[in-house]
Amino acid sequence: MKMTRRFAFLGLCSLLAFTAWLGFGPGRFGAAADTVLAQDADLESKKIVPYVPSPQEVVDKMLELAAVKKGDVVYDLGSGDGRIVVTAAKKYGVKAIGFEIDPERIRESRENIEKERVQKLAEIRQQDILTVDLSGATVVTMYLLPDVNLKLRPNLLSQLKPGSRVVSHAFDMGDWKPDKVERVNGRTVYLWTIPAKGAPKK
Ligand SMILES: C[S@@+](CC[C@H](N)C(=O)[O-])C[C@H]1O[C@@H](n2cnc3c(N)ncnc32)[C@H](O)[C@@H]1O
């Protein structure tokens, strides 16, 4: 009996030593959990707009108002479940990139891209929208907040090529007057066109 306990004790010690050697000890799990927590907190602090999806008829109106055509590249800033990039790719056959910070939304949107079989045209990048280089886009779509639109305004005006279109669901751009405003089911959609460099702001 004594002998059996001794063997059990030695067995447990060897197992602990082996897992520690593999690096799977409690310390490692603790460190990994801390890193995940820190990353989550970092992402949370960067999330400046809550997730509220645009109804599909608003998505359709945004892309229609932007007059999306072959060769355009659509960027959706804060892309949620990916409905704008999926629609741009599926309906207009254009390249569309969504920028999103929330891992859950990123997972969901990538699933939607696969489900709708538009992987060749649509993609989602995990990136803070305030750091996105917009120079590759010809159409930018946004459903954000008034102060976030204003934070993005200098980047839109300096990085997009003249003639690029910006559409926003619900919120305007302060004193940058829109070229068009349309309503759909009680929602407002704004359109701006990037002016030629040096042109006075409308
Ligand atoms: C109002 S939802 C719009 C979703 C989608 N564009 C639509 O119209 O259906 C805003 C999205 O922005 C994302 N978001 C918030 N802050 C962000 C940031 N700093 N960088 C990237 N995405 C962000 C949110 O997670 C959310 O999915």
Side-chain angles (χ1 to χ4, degrees), residues 62 65-66 75 77 134 138-142 149 152-153 155-157 160-161 163-169 171 173 176 178-180 189-194:
M62 290 168 88
L65 205 55
Y75 281 12
L77 301 181
L134 302 169
T138 56
V139 172
V140 173
T141 59
M142 319 191 296
N149 279 10
L152 285 165
R153 195 174 109 166
N155 296 358
L156 294 163
L157 281 163
L160 290 171
K161 290 176 274 298
S164 301
R165 287 86 72 210
V166 178
V167 279
S168 169
H169 172 191
F171 303 112
M173 293 273 188
W176 181 17
D179 296 319
K180 268 190 193 168
V189 180
Y190 298 87
L191 166 78
W192 296 264
T193 305
I194 302 300

PDB file of all heavy atoms in Angstrom, residues 62 65-66 75 77 134 138-142 149 152-153 155-157 160-161 163-169 171 173 176 178-180 189-194:
ATOM      1  N   MET A  62     -26.111  53.395 -50.302  1.00  0.00           N
ATOM      2  CA  MET A  62     -24.753  53.956 -50.162  1.00  0.00           C
ATOM      3  C   MET A  62     -23.923  53.664 -51.412  1.00  0.00           C
ATOM      4  O   MET A  62     -23.258  54.551 -51.960  1.00  0.00           O
ATOM      5  CB  MET A  62     -24.060  53.373 -48.920  1.00  0.00           C
ATOM      6  CG  MET A  62     -24.635  53.853 -47.603  1.00  0.00           C
ATOM      7  SD  MET A  62     -24.019  52.899 -46.206  1.00  0.00           S
ATOM      8  CE  MET A  62     -22.517  53.792 -45.800  1.00  0.00           C
ATOM      9  N   LEU A  65     -25.376  55.561 -54.450  1.00  0.00           N
ATOM     10  CA  LEU A  65     -25.055  56.993 -54.394  1.00  0.00           C
ATOM     11  C   LEU A  65     -23.579  57.227 -54.756  1.00  0.00           C
ATOM     12  O   LEU A  65     -23.225  58.236 -55.370  1.00  0.00           O
ATOM     13  CB  LEU A  65     -25.349  57.511 -52.982  1.00  0.00           C
ATOM     14  CG  LEU A  65     -25.648  58.984 -52.814  1.00  0.00           C
ATOM     15  CD1 LEU A  65     -26.799  59.418 -53.717  1.00  0.00           C
ATOM     16  CD2 LEU A  65     -26.012  59.277 -51.361  1.00  0.00           C
ATOM     17  N   ALA A  66     -22.719  56.296 -54.376  1.00  0.00           N
ATOM     18  CA  ALA A  66     -21.286  56.422 -54.705  1.00  0.00           C
ATOM     19  C   ALA A  66     -21.023  56.087 -56.175  1.00  0.00           C
ATOM     20  O   ALA A  66     -19.893  56.220 -56.637  1.00  0.00           O
ATOM     21  CB  ALA A  66     -20.477  55.494 -53.806  1.00  0.00           C
ATOM     22  N   TYR A  75     -13.457  50.866 -49.661  1.00  0.00           N
ATOM     23  CA  TYR A  75     -13.011  50.630 -48.287  1.00  0.00           C
ATOM     24  C   TYR A  75     -14.208  50.924 -47.377  1.00  0.00           C
ATOM     25  O   TYR A  75     -14.791  52.015 -47.446  1.00  0.00           O
ATOM     26  CB  TYR A  75     -11.892  51.596 -47.873  1.00  0.00           C
ATOM     27  CG  TYR A  75     -10.500  51.273 -48.365  1.00  0.00           C
ATOM     28  CD1 TYR A  75     -10.254  50.322 -49.349  1.00  0.00           C
ATOM     29  CD2 TYR A  75      -9.397  51.951 -47.839  1.00  0.00           C
ATOM     30  CE1 TYR A  75      -8.966  50.047 -49.788  1.00  0.00           C
ATOM     31  CE2 TYR A  75      -8.102  51.681 -48.271  1.00  0.00           C
ATOM     32  CZ  TYR A  75      -7.896  50.738 -49.246  1.00  0.00           C
ATOM     33  OH  TYR A  75      -6.619  50.479 -49.678  1.00  0.00           O
ATOM     34  N   LEU A  77     -14.950  51.609 -43.559  1.00  0.00           N
ATOM     35  CA  LEU A  77     -14.244  51.883 -42.297  1.00  0.00           C
ATOM     36  C   LEU A  77     -15.135  51.500 -41.117  1.00  0.00           C
ATOM     37  O   LEU A  77     -16.168  52.121 -40.884  1.00  0.00           O
ATOM     38  CB  LEU A  77     -13.851  53.366 -42.240  1.00  0.00           C
ATOM     39  CG  LEU A  77     -12.953  53.841 -43.392  1.00  0.00           C
ATOM     40  CD1 LEU A  77     -12.599  55.311 -43.234  1.00  0.00           C
ATOM     41  CD2 LEU A  77     -11.687  52.999 -43.508  1.00  0.00           C
ATOM     42  N   LEU A 134      -5.627  55.557 -46.780  1.00  0.00           N
ATOM     43  CA  LEU A 134      -6.814  55.526 -47.638  1.00  0.00           C
ATOM     44  C   LEU A 134      -6.468  55.676 -49.120  1.00  0.00           C
ATOM     45  O   LEU A 134      -7.378  55.650 -49.964  1.00  0.00           O
ATOM     46  CB  LEU A 134      -7.775  56.644 -47.222  1.00  0.00           C
ATOM     47  CG  LEU A 134      -8.253  56.592 -45.761  1.00  0.00           C
ATOM     48  CD1 LEU A 134      -8.969  57.891 -45.389  1.00  0.00           C
ATOM     49  CD2 LEU A 134      -9.189  55.403 -45.555  1.00  0.00           C
ATOM     50  N   THR A 138     -11.077  54.142 -53.943  1.00  0.00           N
ATOM     51  CA  THR A 138     -11.738  55.158 -54.783  1.00  0.00           C
ATOM     52  C   THR A 138     -13.127  55.463 -54.217  1.00  0.00           C
ATOM     53  O   THR A 138     -13.740  56.448 -54.590  1.00  0.00           O
ATOM     54  CB  THR A 138     -11.855  54.698 -56.248  1.00  0.00           C
ATOM     55  OG1 THR A 138     -12.547  53.446 -56.278  1.00  0.00           O
ATOM     56  CG2 THR A 138     -10.494  54.534 -56.906  1.00  0.00           C
ATOM     57  N   VAL A 139     -13.605  54.571 -53.342  1.00  0.00           N
ATOM     58  CA  VAL A 139     -14.880  54.795 -52.652  1.00  0.00           C
ATOM     59  C   VAL A 139     -14.672  54.424 -51.179  1.00  0.00           C
ATOM     60  O   VAL A 139     -14.125  53.357 -50.877  1.00  0.00           O
ATOM     61  CB  VAL A 139     -16.009  53.915 -53.241  1.00  0.00           C
ATOM     62  CG1 VAL A 139     -17.275  54.005 -52.386  1.00  0.00           C
ATOM     63  CG2 VAL A 139     -16.317  54.298 -54.687  1.00  0.00           C
ATOM     64  N   VAL A 140     -15.075  55.318 -50.271  1.00  0.00           N
ATOM     65  CA  VAL A 140     -14.992  55.010 -48.836  1.00  0.00           C
ATOM     66  C   VAL A 140     -16.403  55.082 -48.259  1.00  0.00           C
ATOM     67  O   VAL A 140     -17.122  56.066 -48.482  1.00  0.00           O
ATOM     68  CB  VAL A 140     -14.062  56.001 -48.092  1.00  0.00           C
ATOM     69  CG1 VAL A 140     -14.109  55.772 -46.585  1.00  0.00           C
ATOM     70  CG2 VAL A 140     -12.630  55.861 -48.595  1.00  0.00           C
ATOM     71  N   THR A 141     -16.794  54.028 -47.545  1.00  0.00           N
ATOM     72  CA  THR A 141     -18.108  54.013 -46.899  1.00  0.00           C
ATOM     73  C   THR A 141     -17.919  54.035 -45.380  1.00  0.00           C
ATOM     74  O   THR A 141     -16.953  53.459 -44.864  1.00  0.00           O
ATOM     75  CB  THR A 141     -18.925  52.760 -47.308  1.00  0.00           C
ATOM     76  OG1 THR A 141     -18.185  51.589 -46.943  1.00  0.00           O
ATOM     77  CG2 THR A 141     -19.197  52.730 -48.793  1.00  0.00           C
ATOM     78  N   MET A 142     -18.852  54.699 -44.689  1.00  0.00           N
ATOM     79  CA  MET A 142     -18.726  54.826 -43.242  1.00  0.00           C
ATOM     80  C   MET A 142     -20.110  54.865 -42.586  1.00  0.00           C
ATOM     81  O   MET A 142     -21.019  55.501 -43.116  1.00  0.00           O
ATOM     82  CB  MET A 142     -18.019  56.143 -42.877  1.00  0.00           C
ATOM     83  CG  MET A 142     -16.856  56.501 -43.768  1.00  0.00           C
ATOM     84  SD  MET A 142     -15.865  57.851 -43.135  1.00  0.00           S
ATOM     85  CE  MET A 142     -16.985  59.192 -43.150  1.00  0.00           C
ATOM     86  N   ASN A 149     -16.271  60.915 -37.834  1.00  0.00           N
ATOM     87  CA  ASN A 149     -16.235  61.443 -39.213  1.00  0.00           C
ATOM     88  C   ASN A 149     -15.275  62.635 -39.282  1.00  0.00           C
ATOM     89  O   ASN A 149     -14.465  62.748 -40.204  1.00  0.00           O
ATOM     90  CB  ASN A 149     -17.625  61.915 -39.642  1.00  0.00           C
ATOM     91  CG  ASN A 149     -18.508  60.762 -40.097  1.00  0.00           C
ATOM     92  OD1 ASN A 149     -18.160  59.605 -39.920  1.00  0.00           O
ATOM     93  ND2 ASN A 149     -19.658  61.080 -40.678  1.00  0.00           N
ATOM     94  N   LEU A 152     -11.696  61.668 -39.211  1.00  0.00           N
ATOM     95  CA  LEU A 152     -11.232  61.037 -40.456  1.00  0.00           C
ATOM     96  C   LEU A 152     -11.148  62.027 -41.616  1.00  0.00           C
ATOM     97  O   LEU A 152     -10.467  61.769 -42.608  1.00  0.00           O
ATOM     98  CB  LEU A 152     -12.181  59.894 -40.838  1.00  0.00           C
ATOM     99  CG  LEU A 152     -12.044  58.633 -39.994  1.00  0.00           C
ATOM    100  CD1 LEU A 152     -13.242  57.715 -40.205  1.00  0.00           C
ATOM    101  CD2 LEU A 152     -10.751  57.886 -40.344  1.00  0.00           C
ATOM    102  N   ARG A 153     -11.862  63.127 -41.497  1.00  0.00           N
ATOM    103  CA  ARG A 153     -11.966  64.092 -42.597  1.00  0.00           C
ATOM    104  C   ARG A 153     -10.613  64.537 -43.181  1.00  0.00           C
ATOM    105  O   ARG A 153     -10.438  64.502 -44.403  1.00  0.00           O
ATOM    106  CB  ARG A 153     -12.783  65.296 -42.107  1.00  0.00           C
ATOM    107  CG  ARG A 153     -13.272  66.179 -43.205  1.00  0.00           C
ATOM    108  CD  ARG A 153     -14.192  67.242 -42.634  1.00  0.00           C
ATOM    109  NE  ARG A 153     -13.533  68.537 -42.691  1.00  0.00           N
ATOM    110  CZ  ARG A 153     -14.160  69.697 -42.520  1.00  0.00           C
ATOM    111  NH1 ARG A 153     -15.447  69.721 -42.247  1.00  0.00           N
ATOM    112  NH2 ARG A 153     -13.514  70.827 -42.607  1.00  0.00           N
ATOM    113  N   ASN A 155      -7.787  62.967 -43.262  1.00  0.00           N
ATOM    114  CA  ASN A 155      -7.195  61.835 -44.003  1.00  0.00           C
ATOM    115  C   ASN A 155      -7.919  61.615 -45.325  1.00  0.00           C
ATOM    116  O   ASN A 155      -7.293  61.353 -46.353  1.00  0.00           O
ATOM    117  CB  ASN A 155      -7.279  60.535 -43.184  1.00  0.00           C
ATOM    118  CG  ASN A 155      -6.462  60.609 -41.919  1.00  0.00           C
ATOM    119  OD1 ASN A 155      -5.801  61.609 -41.660  1.00  0.00           O
ATOM    120  ND2 ASN A 155      -6.509  59.555 -41.117  1.00  0.00           N
ATOM    121  N   LEU A 156      -9.254  61.727 -45.295  1.00  0.00           N
ATOM    122  CA  LEU A 156     -10.039  61.534 -46.529  1.00  0.00           C
ATOM    123  C   LEU A 156      -9.610  62.577 -47.556  1.00  0.00           C
ATOM    124  O   LEU A 156      -9.342  62.260 -48.724  1.00  0.00           O
ATOM    125  CB  LEU A 156     -11.541  61.673 -46.230  1.00  0.00           C
ATOM    126  CG  LEU A 156     -12.145  60.588 -45.331  1.00  0.00           C
ATOM    127  CD1 LEU A 156     -13.494  61.043 -44.771  1.00  0.00           C
ATOM    128  CD2 LEU A 156     -12.326  59.287 -46.111  1.00  0.00           C
ATOM    129  N   LEU A 157      -9.515  63.826 -47.123  1.00  0.00           N
ATOM    130  CA  LEU A 157      -9.214  64.918 -48.059  1.00  0.00           C
ATOM    131  C   LEU A 157      -7.767  64.881 -48.553  1.00  0.00           C
ATOM    132  O   LEU A 157      -7.490  65.238 -49.701  1.00  0.00           O
ATOM    133  CB  LEU A 157      -9.514  66.265 -47.400  1.00  0.00           C
ATOM    134  CG  LEU A 157     -11.006  66.622 -47.386  1.00  0.00           C
ATOM    135  CD1 LEU A 157     -11.301  67.726 -46.394  1.00  0.00           C
ATOM    136  CD2 LEU A 157     -11.484  67.022 -48.787  1.00  0.00           C
ATOM    137  N   LEU A 160      -7.165  60.552 -50.350  1.00  0.00           N
ATOM    138  CA  LEU A 160      -7.932  60.024 -51.491  1.00  0.00           C
ATOM    139  C   LEU A 160      -7.623  60.827 -52.750  1.00  0.00           C
ATOM    140  O   LEU A 160      -7.369  62.037 -52.685  1.00  0.00           O
ATOM    141  CB  LEU A 160      -9.431  60.082 -51.190  1.00  0.00           C
ATOM    142  CG  LEU A 160      -9.941  59.104 -50.136  1.00  0.00           C
ATOM    143  CD1 LEU A 160     -11.400  59.409 -49.779  1.00  0.00           C
ATOM    144  CD2 LEU A 160      -9.813  57.671 -50.629  1.00  0.00           C
ATOM    145  N   LYS A 161      -7.689  60.139 -53.900  1.00  0.00           N
ATOM    146  CA  LYS A 161      -7.445  60.834 -55.170  1.00  0.00           C
ATOM    147  C   LYS A 161      -8.671  61.685 -55.521  1.00  0.00           C
ATOM    148  O   LYS A 161      -9.797  61.315 -55.167  1.00  0.00           O
ATOM    149  CB  LYS A 161      -7.211  59.803 -56.286  1.00  0.00           C
ATOM    150  CG  LYS A 161      -5.884  59.063 -56.159  1.00  0.00           C
ATOM    151  CD  LYS A 161      -5.723  57.994 -57.201  1.00  0.00           C
ATOM    152  CE  LYS A 161      -6.334  56.649 -56.827  1.00  0.00           C
ATOM    153  NZ  LYS A 161      -5.775  55.995 -55.648  1.00  0.00           N
ATOM    154  N   GLY A 163     -11.854  62.962 -57.216  1.00  0.00           N
ATOM    155  CA  GLY A 163     -12.890  62.164 -57.892  1.00  0.00           C
ATOM    156  C   GLY A 163     -13.350  60.972 -57.064  1.00  0.00           C
ATOM    157  O   GLY A 163     -14.384  60.365 -57.365  1.00  0.00           O
ATOM    158  N   SER A 164     -12.582  60.627 -56.024  1.00  0.00           N
ATOM    159  CA  SER A 164     -13.024  59.519 -55.146  1.00  0.00           C
ATOM    160  C   SER A 164     -14.276  59.964 -54.400  1.00  0.00           C
ATOM    161  O   SER A 164     -14.471  61.155 -54.139  1.00  0.00           O
ATOM    162  CB  SER A 164     -11.932  59.159 -54.125  1.00  0.00           C
ATOM    163  OG  SER A 164     -10.756  58.784 -54.802  1.00  0.00           O
ATOM    164  N   ARG A 165     -15.102  58.980 -54.064  1.00  0.00           N
ATOM    165  CA  ARG A 165     -16.360  59.311 -53.375  1.00  0.00           C
ATOM    166  C   ARG A 165     -16.345  58.778 -51.943  1.00  0.00           C
ATOM    167  O   ARG A 165     -15.789  57.714 -51.675  1.00  0.00           O
ATOM    168  CB  ARG A 165     -17.566  58.689 -54.110  1.00  0.00           C
ATOM    169  CG  ARG A 165     -17.901  59.394 -55.416  1.00  0.00           C
ATOM    170  CD  ARG A 165     -17.099  58.879 -56.577  1.00  0.00           C
ATOM    171  NE  ARG A 165     -17.478  57.556 -57.015  1.00  0.00           N
ATOM    172  CZ  ARG A 165     -16.624  56.692 -57.568  1.00  0.00           C
ATOM    173  NH1 ARG A 165     -15.354  56.998 -57.736  1.00  0.00           N
ATOM    174  NH2 ARG A 165     -17.042  55.505 -57.957  1.00  0.00           N
ATOM    175  N   VAL A 166     -16.985  59.566 -51.079  1.00  0.00           N
ATOM    176  CA  VAL A 166     -17.120  59.174 -49.671  1.00  0.00           C
ATOM    177  C   VAL A 166     -18.609  59.158 -49.370  1.00  0.00           C
ATOM    178  O   VAL A 166     -19.313  60.131 -49.679  1.00  0.00           O
ATOM    179  CB  VAL A 166     -16.422  60.213 -48.745  1.00  0.00           C
ATOM    180  CG1 VAL A 166     -16.611  59.843 -47.278  1.00  0.00           C
ATOM    181  CG2 VAL A 166     -14.940  60.330 -49.087  1.00  0.00           C
ATOM    182  N   VAL A 167     -19.111  58.059 -48.819  1.00  0.00           N
ATOM    183  CA  VAL A 167     -20.523  58.037 -48.421  1.00  0.00           C
ATOM    184  C   VAL A 167     -20.621  57.711 -46.937  1.00  0.00           C
ATOM    185  O   VAL A 167     -19.890  56.863 -46.426  1.00  0.00           O
ATOM    186  CB  VAL A 167     -21.382  57.022 -49.232  1.00  0.00           C
ATOM    187  CG1 VAL A 167     -21.790  57.580 -50.568  1.00  0.00           C
ATOM    188  CG2 VAL A 167     -20.712  55.706 -49.394  1.00  0.00           C
ATOM    189  N   SER A 168     -21.514  58.405 -46.261  1.00  0.00           N
ATOM    190  CA  SER A 168     -21.695  58.179 -44.833  1.00  0.00           C
ATOM    191  C   SER A 168     -23.170  57.949 -44.531  1.00  0.00           C
ATOM    192  O   SER A 168     -24.025  58.706 -44.990  1.00  0.00           O
ATOM    193  CB  SER A 168     -21.172  59.397 -44.053  1.00  0.00           C
ATOM    194  OG  SER A 168     -21.573  59.311 -42.704  1.00  0.00           O
ATOM    195  N   HIS A 169     -23.422  56.911 -43.777  1.00  0.00           N
ATOM    196  CA  HIS A 169     -24.770  56.633 -43.288  1.00  0.00           C
ATOM    197  C   HIS A 169     -24.949  57.452 -42.004  1.00  0.00           C
ATOM    198  O   HIS A 169     -24.144  57.350 -41.081  1.00  0.00           O
ATOM    199  CB  HIS A 169     -24.888  55.120 -43.032  1.00  0.00           C
ATOM    200  CG  HIS A 169     -26.152  54.694 -42.349  1.00  0.00           C
ATOM    201  ND1 HIS A 169     -26.326  53.425 -41.856  1.00  0.00           N
ATOM    202  CD2 HIS A 169     -27.298  55.352 -42.084  1.00  0.00           C
ATOM    203  CE1 HIS A 169     -27.519  53.315 -41.313  1.00  0.00           C
ATOM    204  NE2 HIS A 169     -28.129  54.476 -41.436  1.00  0.00           N
ATOM    205  N   PHE A 171     -24.409  60.322 -40.581  1.00  0.00           N
ATOM    206  CA  PHE A 171     -23.706  61.497 -40.036  1.00  0.00           C
ATOM    207  C   PHE A 171     -22.959  62.275 -41.111  1.00  0.00           C
ATOM    208  O   PHE A 171     -22.404  61.684 -42.041  1.00  0.00           O
ATOM    209  CB  PHE A 171     -22.754  61.060 -38.924  1.00  0.00           C
ATOM    210  CG  PHE A 171     -23.489  60.323 -37.832  1.00  0.00           C
ATOM    211  CD1 PHE A 171     -23.276  58.962 -37.631  1.00  0.00           C
ATOM    212  CD2 PHE A 171     -24.436  60.975 -37.042  1.00  0.00           C
ATOM    213  CE1 PHE A 171     -23.973  58.270 -36.647  1.00  0.00           C
ATOM    214  CE2 PHE A 171     -25.147  60.285 -36.058  1.00  0.00           C
ATOM    215  CZ  PHE A 171     -24.914  58.935 -35.866  1.00  0.00           C
ATOM    216  N   MET A 173     -20.271  65.737 -42.233  1.00  0.00           N
ATOM    217  CA  MET A 173     -18.837  66.037 -42.038  1.00  0.00           C
ATOM    218  C   MET A 173     -18.671  67.486 -41.609  1.00  0.00           C
ATOM    219  O   MET A 173     -17.808  68.205 -42.110  1.00  0.00           O
ATOM    220  CB  MET A 173     -18.082  65.861 -43.360  1.00  0.00           C
ATOM    221  CG  MET A 173     -18.003  64.478 -43.848  1.00  0.00           C
ATOM    222  SD  MET A 173     -16.579  63.645 -43.143  1.00  0.00           S
ATOM    223  CE  MET A 173     -16.711  62.171 -44.123  1.00  0.00           C
ATOM    224  N   TRP A 176     -17.999  70.592 -44.204  1.00  0.00           N
ATOM    225  CA  TRP A 176     -17.712  70.079 -45.557  1.00  0.00           C
ATOM    226  C   TRP A 176     -19.064  69.654 -46.148  1.00  0.00           C
ATOM    227  O   TRP A 176     -19.621  68.620 -45.759  1.00  0.00           O
ATOM    228  CB  TRP A 176     -16.736  68.916 -45.503  1.00  0.00           C
ATOM    229  CG  TRP A 176     -16.373  68.347 -46.846  1.00  0.00           C
ATOM    230  CD1 TRP A 176     -16.549  68.933 -48.068  1.00  0.00           C
ATOM    231  CD2 TRP A 176     -15.755  67.078 -47.097  1.00  0.00           C
ATOM    232  NE1 TRP A 176     -16.090  68.117 -49.074  1.00  0.00           N
ATOM    233  CE2 TRP A 176     -15.593  66.964 -48.503  1.00  0.00           C
ATOM    234  CE3 TRP A 176     -15.325  66.019 -46.287  1.00  0.00           C
ATOM    235  CZ2 TRP A 176     -15.012  65.841 -49.100  1.00  0.00           C
ATOM    236  CZ3 TRP A 176     -14.749  64.900 -46.879  1.00  0.00           C
ATOM    237  CH2 TRP A 176     -14.592  64.821 -48.269  1.00  0.00           C
ATOM    238  N   PRO A 178     -22.029  68.231 -48.285  1.00  0.00           N
ATOM    239  CA  PRO A 178     -22.158  67.062 -49.167  1.00  0.00           C
ATOM    240  C   PRO A 178     -22.625  67.459 -50.569  1.00  0.00           C
ATOM    241  O   PRO A 178     -23.270  68.487 -50.740  1.00  0.00           O
ATOM    242  CB  PRO A 178     -23.225  66.215 -48.473  1.00  0.00           C
ATOM    243  CG  PRO A 178     -23.998  67.167 -47.629  1.00  0.00           C
ATOM    244  CD  PRO A 178     -23.081  68.276 -47.255  1.00  0.00           C
ATOM    245  N   ASP A 179     -22.272  66.630 -51.571  1.00  0.00           N
ATOM    246  CA  ASP A 179     -22.758  66.864 -52.946  1.00  0.00           C
ATOM    247  C   ASP A 179     -24.198  66.385 -53.072  1.00  0.00           C
ATOM    248  O   ASP A 179     -24.957  66.891 -53.885  1.00  0.00           O
ATOM    249  CB  ASP A 179     -21.888  66.093 -53.947  1.00  0.00           C
ATOM    250  CG  ASP A 179     -20.469  66.607 -53.928  1.00  0.00           C
ATOM    251  OD1 ASP A 179     -20.302  67.838 -53.857  1.00  0.00           O
ATOM    252  OD2 ASP A 179     -19.533  65.783 -53.940  1.00  0.00           O
ATOM    253  N   LYS A 180     -24.541  65.354 -52.308  1.00  0.00           N
ATOM    254  CA  LYS A 180     -25.914  64.818 -52.358  1.00  0.00           C
ATOM    255  C   LYS A 180     -26.300  64.306 -50.987  1.00  0.00           C
ATOM    256  O   LYS A 180     -25.440  63.792 -50.247  1.00  0.00           O
ATOM    257  CB  LYS A 180     -25.978  63.631 -53.325  1.00  0.00           C
ATOM    258  CG  LYS A 180     -26.344  63.992 -54.729  1.00  0.00           C
ATOM    259  CD  LYS A 180     -26.609  62.724 -55.530  1.00  0.00           C
ATOM    260  CE  LYS A 180     -26.672  63.049 -57.005  1.00  0.00           C
ATOM    261  NZ  LYS A 180     -26.644  61.855 -57.833  1.00  0.00           N
ATOM    262  N   VAL A 189     -28.355  59.291 -46.065  1.00  0.00           N
ATOM    263  CA  VAL A 189     -27.057  58.903 -46.634  1.00  0.00           C
ATOM    264  C   VAL A 189     -26.462  60.134 -47.325  1.00  0.00           C
ATOM    265  O   VAL A 189     -27.138  60.812 -48.102  1.00  0.00           O
ATOM    266  CB  VAL A 189     -27.208  57.736 -47.639  1.00  0.00           C
ATOM    267  CG1 VAL A 189     -25.853  57.356 -48.220  1.00  0.00           C
ATOM    268  CG2 VAL A 189     -27.844  56.521 -46.964  1.00  0.00           C
ATOM    269  N   TYR A 190     -25.191  60.448 -46.993  1.00  0.00           N
ATOM    270  CA  TYR A 190     -24.506  61.628 -47.528  1.00  0.00           C
ATOM    271  C   TYR A 190     -23.432  61.181 -48.532  1.00  0.00           C
ATOM    272  O   TYR A 190     -22.775  60.155 -48.318  1.00  0.00           O
ATOM    273  CB  TYR A 190     -23.792  62.380 -46.405  1.00  0.00           C
ATOM    274  CG  TYR A 190     -24.714  62.906 -45.328  1.00  0.00           C
ATOM    275  CD1 TYR A 190     -25.077  62.096 -44.245  1.00  0.00           C
ATOM    276  CD2 TYR A 190     -25.205  64.206 -45.385  1.00  0.00           C
ATOM    277  CE1 TYR A 190     -25.911  62.576 -43.247  1.00  0.00           C
ATOM    278  CE2 TYR A 190     -26.041  64.696 -44.377  1.00  0.00           C
ATOM    279  CZ  TYR A 190     -26.386  63.871 -43.314  1.00  0.00           C
ATOM    280  OH  TYR A 190     -27.213  64.343 -42.328  1.00  0.00           O
ATOM    281  N   LEU A 191     -23.250  62.002 -49.563  1.00  0.00           N
ATOM    282  CA  LEU A 191     -22.178  61.742 -50.543  1.00  0.00           C
ATOM    283  C   LEU A 191     -21.292  62.982 -50.687  1.00  0.00           C
ATOM    284  O   LEU A 191     -21.791  64.100 -50.832  1.00  0.00           O
ATOM    285  CB  LEU A 191     -22.794  61.423 -51.916  1.00  0.00           C
ATOM    286  CG  LEU A 191     -21.814  61.465 -53.096  1.00  0.00           C
ATOM    287  CD1 LEU A 191     -20.957  60.192 -53.159  1.00  0.00           C
ATOM    288  CD2 LEU A 191     -22.544  61.652 -54.419  1.00  0.00           C
ATOM    289  N   TRP A 192     -19.978  62.748 -50.666  1.00  0.00           N
ATOM    290  CA  TRP A 192     -19.004  63.804 -50.972  1.00  0.00           C
ATOM    291  C   TRP A 192     -18.083  63.286 -52.079  1.00  0.00           C
ATOM    292  O   TRP A 192     -17.803  62.080 -52.134  1.00  0.00           O
ATOM    293  CB  TRP A 192     -18.115  64.128 -49.772  1.00  0.00           C
ATOM    294  CG  TRP A 192     -18.828  64.688 -48.591  1.00  0.00           C
ATOM    295  CD1 TRP A 192     -18.978  66.001 -48.268  1.00  0.00           C
ATOM    296  CD2 TRP A 192     -19.484  63.946 -47.545  1.00  0.00           C
ATOM    297  NE1 TRP A 192     -19.685  66.125 -47.094  1.00  0.00           N
ATOM    298  CE2 TRP A 192     -20.010  64.882 -46.629  1.00  0.00           C
ATOM    299  CE3 TRP A 192     -19.694  62.586 -47.294  1.00  0.00           C
ATOM    300  CZ2 TRP A 192     -20.717  64.515 -45.492  1.00  0.00           C
ATOM    301  CZ3 TRP A 192     -20.403  62.205 -46.167  1.00  0.00           C
ATOM    302  CH2 TRP A 192     -20.907  63.158 -45.282  1.00  0.00           C
ATOM    303  N   THR A 193     -17.617  64.188 -52.921  1.00  0.00           N
ATOM    304  CA  THR A 193     -16.628  63.808 -53.932  1.00  0.00           C
ATOM    305  C   THR A 193     -15.345  64.580 -53.616  1.00  0.00           C
ATOM    306  O   THR A 193     -15.407  65.786 -53.323  1.00  0.00           O
ATOM    307  CB  THR A 193     -17.145  64.165 -55.343  1.00  0.00           C
ATOM    308  OG1 THR A 193     -18.425  63.535 -55.495  1.00  0.00           O
ATOM    309  CG2 THR A 193     -16.218  63.667 -56.435  1.00  0.00           C
ATOM    310  N   ILE A 194     -14.219  63.879 -53.651  1.00  0.00           N
ATOM    311  CA  ILE A 194     -12.942  64.540 -53.320  1.00  0.00           C
ATOM    312  C   ILE A 194     -12.612  65.539 -54.434  1.00  0.00           C
ATOM    313  O   ILE A 194     -12.545  65.171 -55.612  1.00  0.00           O
ATOM    314  CB  ILE A 194     -11.798  63.495 -53.169  1.00  0.00           C
ATOM    315  CG1 ILE A 194     -12.152  62.478 -52.079  1.00  0.00           C
ATOM    316  CG2 ILE A 194     -10.456  64.183 -52.880  1.00  0.00           C
ATOM    317  CD1 ILE A 194     -12.381  63.041 -50.689  1.00  0.00           C
TER     318      ILE A 194
END
